[in-house]
Amino acid sequence: DDFCSMYIEFTKSALNSDNINTKHQTLNTLIYVLQSILKLLHPFIPFVTEEIYQAINGKDTTIMKESWPEIIKVDANKANDIDKVIEIIKATREIRTENNIKPSLELHTLIDGFKLNDSLNSIIYRMCKLIVIESTNEETIVRPTSFGKVIYIMNEIVDKKAELEKINKELARLESEISRSNNMLSNE
């Protein structure tokens, strides 16, 4: 899930880079990780993993002769930072979905409990058009996270007039339904 939903998205800018070395390293890493995932899944879904493995490496190869993937040591701090970035991206996507905000619209946010470097900031912007700011005096919406909170500017997310109009229409509809139900109940 992390590989398909996040890592591939993270690597798109590197794959579209003008730097051939960056493209090559990113592509090799993607293939290595995919092959390792296939090796781990092979005992459970052998026909599917074999087909994908041969599509990557050629029909003359087989996954059955491959050795089990080795554990690679990863910098725990960097992995933790990426987990936090993923959490920010998911919170932002939820806010967008709940409020019908277009993915292309830029949002401004404060992030409490986590300091982003330029690299992580660019990933967040690329993935969800989120601009991190230092402070605001405007009304906010807060999303709690495992490391602190993500604070969004309310007037970028909620159109108060439209929301009030929608609530008033729903109120009128419900009052009409109550009146209709009372009339039906009072009819002997």
Side-chain angles (χ1 to χ4, degrees):
D1 182 46
D2 289 341
F3 178 74
C4 293
S5 66
M6 288 295 165
Y7 186 71
I8 290 174
E9 290 292 323
F10 284 170
T11 60
K12 282 183 179 177
S13 66
L15 292 172
N16 293 327
S17 170
D18 293 334
N19 185 334
I20 293 177
N21 192 28
T22 301
K23 274 184 177 180
H24 186 68
Q25 288 176 347
T26 304
L27 189 58
N28 284 341
T29 303
L30 281 168
I31 291 170
Y32 177 80
V33 172
L34 178 59
Q35 286 177 337
S36 296
I37 291 169
L38 291 173
K39 290 174 189 176
L40 293 171
L41 289 174
H42 186 68
F44 305 102
I45 48 173
F47 298 110
V48 174
T49 54
E50 184 70 39
E51 188 71 27
I52 296 170
Y53 187 83
Q54 287 181 355
I56 294 170
N57 297 298
K59 292 289 182 188
D60 298 336
T61 61
T62 180
I63 196 170
M64 291 185 289
K65 293 183 179 180
E66 290 292 329
S67 60
W68 200 248
E70 293 181 21
I71 295 174
I72 298 174
K73 293 187 181 195
V74 177
D75 182 349
N77 291 331
K78 288 183 180 180
N80 192 22
D81 288 351
I82 292 297
D83 288 341
K84 291 174 183 176
V85 166
I86 290 171
E87 201 171 342
I88 292 167
I89 291 167
K90 286 181 179 179
T92 304
R93 287 179 175 173
E94 287 172 7
I95 283 275
R96 286 182 184 278
T97 301
E98 290 167 5
N99 295 286
N100 296 320
I101 300 171
K102 294 178 185 175
S104 61
L105 183 67
E106 289 181 343
L107 296 177
H108 294 82
T109 187
L110 295 139
I111 298 178
D112 183 35
F114 179 49
K115 185 74 175 158
L116 294 167
N117 61 32
D118 290 339
S119 174
L120 297 176
N121 235 342
S122 69
I123 289 172
I124 288 173
Y125 181 79
R126 193 173 57 253
M127 297 284 289
C128 59
K129 296 287 190 236
L130 196 62
I131 299 170
V132 179
I133 58 175
E134 295 297 318
S135 64
T136 184
N137 294 331
E138 299 182 49
E139 288 184 73
T140 59
I141 296 174
V142 177
R143 281 290 166 117
T145 61
S146 64
F147 57 84
K149 53 190 169 187
V150 182
I151 305 163
Y152 302 92
I153 297 173
M154 183 175 295
N155 63 5
E156 290 182 345
I157 294 176
V158 178
D159 181 0
K160 287 183 182 180
K161 289 179 184 176
E163 212 48 44
L164 191 58
E165 228 175 81
K166 190 167 78 173
I167 290 170
N168 284 333
K169 282 183 184 177
E170 180 68 9
L171 180 63
R173 186 190 69 77
L174 291 172
E175 286 173 345
S176 170
E177 185 64 29
I178 289 170
S179 175
R180 188 182 73 79
S181 297
N182 284 336
N183 287 339
M184 290 173 65
L185 290 171
S186 65
N187 183 355
E188 291 182 21

